[in-house]
Protein backbone atom coordinates (compact mmCIF):
# COMPACT_ATOMS: atom_id res chain seq x y z
CA UNK A 1 0.00 0.00 0.00
CA UNK A 2 2.61 2.48 1.11
CA UNK A 3 5.55 2.81 -1.20
CA UNK A 4 9.09 2.09 -0.11
CA UNK A 5 10.34 5.65 -0.24
CA UNK A 6 7.74 6.75 2.29
CA UNK A 7 8.47 3.83 4.59
CA UNK A 8 12.16 4.68 4.62
CA UNK A 9 11.33 8.26 5.51
CA UNK A 10 9.38 7.29 8.59
CA UNK A 11 10.38 8.59 11.99
CA UNK A 12 12.42 6.31 14.21
CA UNK A 13 10.75 5.49 17.52
CA UNK A 14 11.96 7.73 20.34
CA UNK A 15 15.07 6.64 22.23
CA UNK A 16 14.89 5.40 25.82
CA UNK A 17 15.90 8.79 27.27
CA UNK A 18 13.02 10.45 25.44
CA UNK A 19 10.58 7.87 26.71
CA UNK A 20 11.82 8.35 30.27
CA UNK A 21 11.24 12.11 29.99
CA UNK A 22 7.72 11.49 28.78
CA UNK A 23 6.60 8.01 29.77
CA UNK A 24 2.96 8.76 29.07
CA UNK A 25 3.49 10.35 25.66
CA UNK A 26 2.47 8.70 22.41
CA UNK A 27 4.67 9.39 19.44
CA UNK A 28 2.39 8.09 16.71
CA UNK A 29 1.26 10.72 14.22
CA UNK A 30 -2.10 12.43 13.96
CA UNK A 31 -3.85 11.70 10.68
CA UNK A 32 -5.31 14.75 8.96
CA UNK A 33 -7.33 14.28 5.79
CA UNK A 34 -9.16 16.28 3.18
CA UNK A 35 -10.49 15.80 -0.33
CA UNK A 36 -7.36 17.57 -1.56
CA UNK A 37 -5.03 20.40 -0.62
CA UNK A 38 -7.62 22.63 1.10
CA UNK A 39 -7.24 20.92 4.47
CA UNK A 40 -3.73 22.32 4.59
CA UNK A 41 -5.30 25.53 5.96
CA UNK A 42 -6.19 23.41 9.00
CA UNK A 43 -2.99 21.33 9.04
CA UNK A 44 -0.77 24.41 9.04
CA UNK A 45 -2.62 25.80 12.10
CA UNK A 46 -2.19 22.45 13.87
CA UNK A 47 1.54 22.50 13.08
CA UNK A 48 1.78 26.08 14.33
CA UNK A 49 -0.14 25.54 17.56
CA UNK A 50 0.96 21.98 18.39
CA UNK A 51 4.51 21.66 17.09
CA UNK A 52 5.27 18.52 19.12
CA UNK A 53 2.94 16.38 17.12
CA UNK A 54 3.78 14.58 13.89
CA UNK A 55 1.18 14.67 11.16
CA UNK A 56 0.32 12.43 8.25
CA UNK A 57 -1.65 14.59 5.82
CA UNK A 58 -3.78 12.68 3.33
CA UNK A 59 -5.18 14.60 0.34
CA UNK A 60 -7.60 12.59 -1.79
CA UNK A 61 -6.85 14.62 -4.91
CA UNK A 62 -7.86 11.75 -7.21
CA UNK A 63 -11.47 12.16 -6.07
CA UNK A 64 -11.74 15.88 -5.26
CA UNK A 65 -14.22 17.63 -5.09
CA UNK A 66 -16.31 16.12 -2.30
CA UNK A 67 -18.52 19.22 -2.13
CA UNK A 68 -20.84 18.15 -4.95
CA UNK A 69 -21.00 14.44 -4.01
CA UNK A 70 -23.64 12.58 -2.00
CA UNK A 71 -23.48 11.83 1.72
CA UNK A 72 -23.11 8.11 0.95
CA UNK A 73 -20.15 8.65 -1.37
CA UNK A 74 -18.34 11.06 0.97
CA UNK A 75 -18.93 8.68 3.90
CA UNK A 76 -17.51 5.77 1.88
CA UNK A 77 -14.42 7.80 0.93
CA UNK A 78 -13.91 8.93 4.54
CA UNK A 79 -14.12 5.33 5.76
CA UNK A 80 -11.52 4.19 3.22
CA UNK A 81 -9.14 6.98 4.19
CA UNK A 82 -9.48 6.35 7.92
CA UNK A 83 -8.82 2.64 7.37
CA UNK A 84 -5.74 3.57 5.38
CA UNK A 85 -4.53 6.00 8.06
CA UNK A 86 -4.96 3.27 10.66
CA UNK A 87 -2.35 1.25 8.78
CA UNK A 88 -0.09 4.26 9.36
CA UNK A 89 -0.62 3.81 13.09
CA UNK A 90 -2.26 7.17 13.68
CA UNK A 91 -3.41 7.84 17.24
CA UNK A 92 -6.13 10.35 16.29
CA UNK A 93 -7.77 11.74 13.18
CA UNK A 94 -8.76 15.24 12.13
CA UNK A 95 -11.27 15.36 9.29
CA UNK A 96 -9.99 18.63 7.83
CA UNK A 97 -12.73 18.85 5.23
CA UNK A 98 -16.02 20.57 5.93
CA UNK A 99 -18.04 18.42 3.56
CA UNK A 100 -16.66 15.17 5.02
CA UNK A 101 -17.11 16.48 8.57
CA UNK A 102 -20.69 17.51 7.82
CA UNK A 103 -21.63 14.22 6.15
CA UNK A 104 -19.49 11.57 7.81
CA UNK A 105 -18.13 12.61 11.23
CA UNK A 106 -20.96 11.07 13.22
CA UNK A 107 -20.79 7.72 11.41
CA UNK A 108 -16.98 7.59 11.57
CA UNK A 109 -16.98 8.28 15.30
CA UNK A 110 -19.37 5.37 15.79
CA UNK A 111 -17.46 3.00 13.49
CA UNK A 112 -13.89 3.59 14.63
CA UNK A 113 -12.37 3.18 18.05
CA UNK A 114 -10.13 6.22 17.63
CA UNK A 115 -10.48 9.90 18.58
CA UNK A 116 -11.89 11.66 15.51
CA UNK A 117 -12.32 15.43 15.38
CA UNK A 118 -14.16 17.31 12.65
CA UNK A 119 -14.01 20.94 11.57
CA UNK A 120 -17.69 21.86 11.88
CA UNK A 121 -18.22 21.84 15.63
CA UNK A 122 -15.31 24.15 16.62
CA UNK A 123 -16.38 26.78 14.04
CA UNK A 124 -20.05 26.44 14.99
CA UNK A 125 -19.25 26.91 18.67
CA UNK A 126 -17.19 30.01 18.00
CA UNK A 127 -19.92 31.50 15.79
CA UNK A 128 -22.55 30.89 18.49
CA UNK A 129 -20.32 32.71 20.98
CA UNK A 130 -19.56 35.56 18.58
CA UNK A 131 -22.98 36.55 17.26
CA UNK A 132 -24.73 39.35 19.11
CA UNK A 133 -27.87 39.70 17.01
CA UNK A 134 -28.36 35.93 16.53
CA UNK A 135 -27.96 35.99 12.73
CA UNK A 136 -25.10 33.91 11.39
CA UNK A 137 -24.19 33.56 7.71
CA UNK A 138 -22.58 30.37 6.49
CA UNK A 139 -20.76 29.82 3.20
CA UNK A 140 -19.54 26.40 2.09
CA UNK A 141 -19.88 23.68 -0.53
CA UNK A 142 -23.28 22.46 -1.68
CA UNK A 143 -22.87 19.36 0.50
CA UNK A 144 -22.03 21.29 3.66
CA UNK A 145 -24.94 23.69 3.22
CA UNK A 146 -27.36 20.88 2.32
CA UNK A 147 -26.35 18.82 5.39
CA UNK A 148 -27.74 21.41 7.84
CA UNK A 149 -25.12 20.29 10.34
CA UNK A 150 -23.82 23.77 11.15
CA UNK A 151 -27.29 24.96 12.15
CA UNK A 152 -27.72 21.88 14.36
CA UNK A 153 -24.45 22.51 16.21
CA UNK A 154 -24.96 26.25 16.50
CA UNK A 155 -28.45 25.77 17.90
CA UNK A 156 -27.12 23.21 20.37
CA UNK A 157 -24.89 25.97 21.74
CA UNK A 158 -27.41 28.82 21.39
CA UNK A 159 -30.95 27.77 20.38
CA UNK A 160 -32.19 31.15 19.11
CA UNK A 161 -29.56 31.66 16.43
CA UNK A 162 -30.73 31.79 12.83
CA UNK A 163 -28.25 30.33 10.32
CA UNK A 164 -28.44 31.56 6.74
CA UNK A 165 -26.46 29.34 4.38
CA UNK A 166 -25.16 30.03 0.90
CA UNK A 167 -23.38 27.44 -1.25
CA UNK A 168 -20.47 28.91 -3.22
CA UNK A 169 -19.45 26.08 -5.58
CA UNK A 170 -17.10 28.15 -7.75
CA UNK A 171 -14.88 29.30 -4.89
CA UNK A 172 -12.99 25.98 -4.66
CA UNK A 173 -11.90 25.87 -8.33
CA UNK A 174 -10.99 29.58 -8.19
CA UNK A 175 -8.63 28.91 -5.27
CA UNK A 176 -7.17 25.83 -6.94
CA UNK A 177 -6.47 27.87 -10.08
CA UNK A 178 -4.59 30.36 -7.91
CA UNK A 179 -7.12 33.14 -8.67
CA UNK A 180 -7.43 34.44 -5.15
CA UNK A 181 -6.67 38.05 -6.06
CA UNK A 182 -8.62 38.31 -9.28
CA UNK A 183 -11.50 40.43 -10.51
CA UNK A 184 -13.44 37.29 -11.45
CA UNK A 185 -13.14 36.07 -7.86
CA UNK A 186 -14.33 39.46 -6.61
CA UNK A 187 -17.32 39.31 -8.94
CA UNK A 188 -18.20 35.81 -7.77
CA UNK A 189 -17.89 36.87 -4.12
CA UNK A 190 -20.17 39.81 -4.82
CA UNK A 191 -22.75 37.56 -6.46
CA UNK A 192 -22.65 34.85 -3.77
CA UNK A 193 -22.67 37.22 -0.82
CA UNK A 194 -25.37 39.58 -2.14
CA UNK A 195 -28.22 37.57 -0.63
CA UNK A 196 -26.49 37.41 2.76
CA UNK A 197 -26.11 41.20 2.75
CA UNK A 198 -29.89 41.56 2.90
CA UNK A 199 -30.13 39.33 5.98
CA UNK A 200 -28.49 41.55 8.57
CA UNK A 201 -25.97 38.90 9.65
CA UNK A 202 -23.27 39.97 12.11
CA UNK A 203 -21.11 36.81 11.80
CA UNK A 204 -20.02 34.85 8.73
CA UNK A 205 -18.56 31.33 8.95
CA UNK A 206 -16.13 30.39 6.21
CA UNK A 207 -17.29 26.78 6.24
CA UNK A 208 -14.86 25.42 3.69
CA UNK A 209 -11.19 24.59 3.76
CA UNK A 210 -10.37 26.78 0.74
CA UNK A 211 -12.07 30.01 1.70
CA UNK A 212 -9.39 31.51 3.97
CA UNK A 213 -7.42 32.15 0.78
CA UNK A 214 -10.29 34.29 -0.50
CA UNK A 215 -10.45 36.35 2.68
CA UNK A 216 -9.86 39.66 0.84
CA UNK A 217 -12.65 39.18 -1.70
CA UNK A 218 -15.02 37.92 0.98
CA UNK A 219 -14.35 40.75 3.41
CA UNK A 220 -14.79 43.33 0.64
CA UNK A 221 -18.25 41.96 -0.04
CA UNK A 222 -19.80 41.83 3.41
CA UNK A 223 -21.02 44.88 5.35
CA UNK A 224 -18.58 46.55 7.75
CA UNK A 225 -18.79 45.10 11.20
CA UNK A 226 -19.58 41.52 10.11
CA UNK A 227 -17.13 39.15 11.81
CA UNK A 228 -15.66 36.81 9.19
CA UNK A 229 -14.46 33.59 10.78
CA UNK A 230 -11.85 31.27 9.26
CA UNK A 231 -11.85 27.94 11.05
CA UNK A 232 -8.25 26.66 11.18
CA UNK A 233 -7.45 28.29 14.53
CA UNK A 234 -10.56 26.94 16.26
CA UNK A 235 -9.95 23.42 14.97
CA UNK A 236 -6.33 23.48 16.17
CA UNK A 237 -7.54 24.86 19.54
CA UNK A 238 -10.03 22.06 19.82
CA UNK A 239 -7.42 19.39 19.02
CA UNK A 240 -4.98 21.01 21.44
CA UNK A 241 -7.47 21.01 24.27
CA UNK A 242 -8.41 17.40 23.49
CA UNK A 243 -4.73 16.40 23.75
CA UNK A 244 -4.31 18.30 26.99
CA UNK A 245 -7.30 16.50 28.45
CA UNK A 246 -5.77 13.19 27.31
CA UNK A 247 -2.09 13.33 28.29
CA UNK A 248 -1.80 9.61 27.56
CA UNK A 249 -2.16 10.46 23.86
CA UNK A 250 -0.22 13.70 23.69
CA UNK A 251 3.39 13.67 22.42
CA UNK A 252 5.64 15.79 24.57
CA UNK A 253 8.80 15.40 22.57
CA UNK A 254 9.48 18.24 20.17
CA UNK A 255 10.02 16.99 16.68
CA UNK A 256 9.46 20.26 14.88
CA UNK A 257 5.98 19.59 13.56
CA UNK A 258 7.04 17.10 10.92
CA UNK A 259 4.43 16.29 8.36
CA UNK A 260 4.29 13.59 5.69
CA UNK A 261 2.11 14.45 2.74
CA UNK A 262 0.25 11.73 0.86
CA UNK A 263 -1.85 12.08 -2.24
CA UNK A 264 -3.98 9.73 -4.31
CA UNK A 265 -3.10 11.63 -7.53
CA UNK A 266 -0.05 13.36 -8.98
CA UNK A 267 2.66 14.20 -6.44
CA UNK A 268 3.87 17.18 -8.48
CA UNK A 269 0.43 18.69 -8.84
CA UNK A 270 -0.19 18.28 -5.10
CA UNK A 271 3.16 19.88 -4.23
CA UNK A 272 2.46 22.79 -6.59
CA UNK A 273 -0.99 23.50 -5.15
CA UNK A 274 0.24 22.96 -1.60
CA UNK A 275 2.76 25.73 -2.07
CA UNK A 276 -0.16 28.18 -2.40
CA UNK A 277 -1.33 27.13 1.08
CA UNK A 278 1.97 26.54 2.87
CA UNK A 279 4.34 28.98 1.13
CA UNK A 280 7.00 26.30 0.99
CA UNK A 281 8.10 23.37 -1.16
CA UNK A 282 7.16 19.97 0.21
CA UNK A 283 7.84 16.32 -0.60
CA UNK A 284 4.77 14.32 -1.47
CA UNK A 285 4.20 10.58 -1.75
CA UNK A 286 1.64 8.95 -3.99
CA UNK A 287 -0.48 6.22 -2.40
CA UNK A 288 -3.21 3.93 -3.71
CA UNK A 289 -6.27 3.23 -1.61
N1 LIG B 1 -12.53 20.32 1.35
C1 LIG B 1 -13.85 20.67 0.86
C2 LIG B 1 -14.63 21.30 2.02
O1 LIG B 1 -14.08 21.88 2.92
C3 LIG B 1 -13.77 21.62 -0.31
C4 LIG B 1 -13.27 20.96 -1.56
C5 LIG B 1 -14.19 19.86 -2.05
O2 LIG B 1 -15.33 20.14 -2.51
O3 LIG B 1 -13.79 18.73 -1.96
O4 LIG B 1 -15.82 21.24 2.03
Amino acid sequence: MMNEKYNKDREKPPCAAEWRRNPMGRQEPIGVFDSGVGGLTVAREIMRQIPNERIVYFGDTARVPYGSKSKETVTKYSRQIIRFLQTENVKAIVIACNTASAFALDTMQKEFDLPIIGVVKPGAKMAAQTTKNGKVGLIGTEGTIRSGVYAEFIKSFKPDVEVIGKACPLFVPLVEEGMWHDTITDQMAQRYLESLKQQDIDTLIMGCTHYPLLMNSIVRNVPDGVRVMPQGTYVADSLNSYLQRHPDIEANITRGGKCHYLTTESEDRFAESAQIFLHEKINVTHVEL
Side-chain angles (χ1 to χ4, degrees):
M1 229 187 238
M2 234 22 210
N3 76 18
E4 232 190 315
K5 180 167 143 267
Y6 177 68
N7 273 328
K8 274 199 222 125
D9 283 343
R10 290 179 74 146
E11 288 278 341
K12 288 199 201 91
C15 66
E18 285 176 318
W19 275 115
R20 274 197 292 275
R21 274 204 305 278
N22 180 30
M24 299 292 284
R26 294 241 329 248
Q27 310 309 314
E28 299 98 315
I30 294 172
V32 178
F33 81 86
D34 177 40
S35 54
V37 285
L40 293 172
T41 54
V42 175
R44 77 177 173 203
E45 266 310 309
I46 295 175
M47 289 188 262
R48 202 177 61 78
Q49 283 196 39
I50 320 173
N52 286 349
E53 298 291 344
R54 286 196 292 133
I55 290 176
V56 175
Y57 182 92
F58 188 107
D60 193 10
T61 33
R63 301 188 292 194
V64 69
Y66 284 8
S68 51
K69 295 193 169 71
S70 68
K71 177 173 177 154
E72 290 68 32
T73 301
V74 174
T75 304
K76 183 174 81 181
Y77 291 173
S78 303
R79 182 180 296 118
Q80 288 170 342
I81 294 170
I82 295 176
R83 281 194 188 136
F84 179 89
L85 287 170
Q86 279 187 311
T87 68
E88 289 301 301
N89 243 341
V90 296
K91 61 185 175 186
I93 300 263
V94 177
I95 305 184
C97 171
N98 294 73
T99 312
S101 296
F103 277 154
L105 177 67
D106 232 19
T107 313
M108 296 302 101
Q109 284 177 330
K110 283 183 195 130
E111 282 184 19
F112 291 93
D113 184 20
L114 193 68
I116 304 179
I117 290 174
V119 288
V120 171
K121 195 171 174 184
K125 187 174 178 187
M126 199 43 71
Q129 285 167 1
T130 303
T131 184
K132 299 261 185 300
N133 72 358
K135 290 197 168 196
V136 172
L138 166 69
I139 50 175
T141 65
E142 288 171 61
T144 298
I145 301 299
R146 202 166 6 106
S147 75
V149 167
Y150 268 98
E152 266 171 48
F153 274 124
I154 291 175
K155 283 174 189 294
S156 74
F157 294 117
K158 214 185 220 182
D160 293 341
V161 175
E162 185 186 351
V163 180
I164 302 126
K166 177 76 188 165
C168 308
L170 289 176
F171 276 172
V172 167
L174 286 169
V175 170
E176 297 207 332
E177 289 304 319
M179 294 169 70
W180 12 308
H181 300 295
D182 196 286
T183 46
I184 293 178
T185 307
D186 264 345
Q187 283 164 11
M188 283 321 302
Q190 193 181 359
R191 189 181 292 195
Y192 282 143
L193 297 168
E194 191 55 41
S195 58
L196 291 181
K197 271 191 199 159
Q198 321 298 330
Q199 304 280 342
D200 190 32
I201 58 166
D202 70 351
T203 305
L204 178 67
I205 304 173
M206 295 211 268
C208 176
T209 48
H210 288 58
Y211 298 178
L213 281 96
L214 302 181
M215 188 64 148
N216 288 345
S217 293
I218 291 169
V219 165
R220 262 200 293 277
N221 285 288
V222 293
D224 290 346
V226 172
R227 293 283 299 272
V228 180
M229 309 184 47
Q231 59 190 358
T233 329
Y234 314 122
V235 178
D237 280 349
S238 158
L239 176 63
N240 207 0
S241 84
Y242 180 87
L243 291 170
Q244 278 163 17
R245 280 181 279 122
H246 297 84
D248 51 320
I249 294 182
E250 199 179 14
N252 287 337
I253 299 165
T254 303
R255 291 190 183 278
K258 278 206 169 173
C259 184
H260 281 288
Y261 299 92
L262 311 178
T263 176
T264 47
E265 243 297 332
S266 148
E267 293 151 323
D268 291 344
R269 175 106 174 119
F270 185 100
E272 213 177 282
S273 311
Q275 219 172 331
I276 297 175
F277 291 79
L278 299 172
H279 311 294
E280 61 174 343
K281 283 203 162 80
I282 55 166
N283 291 322
V284 185
T285 303
H286 174 83
V287 294
E288 294 285 338
L289 279 179

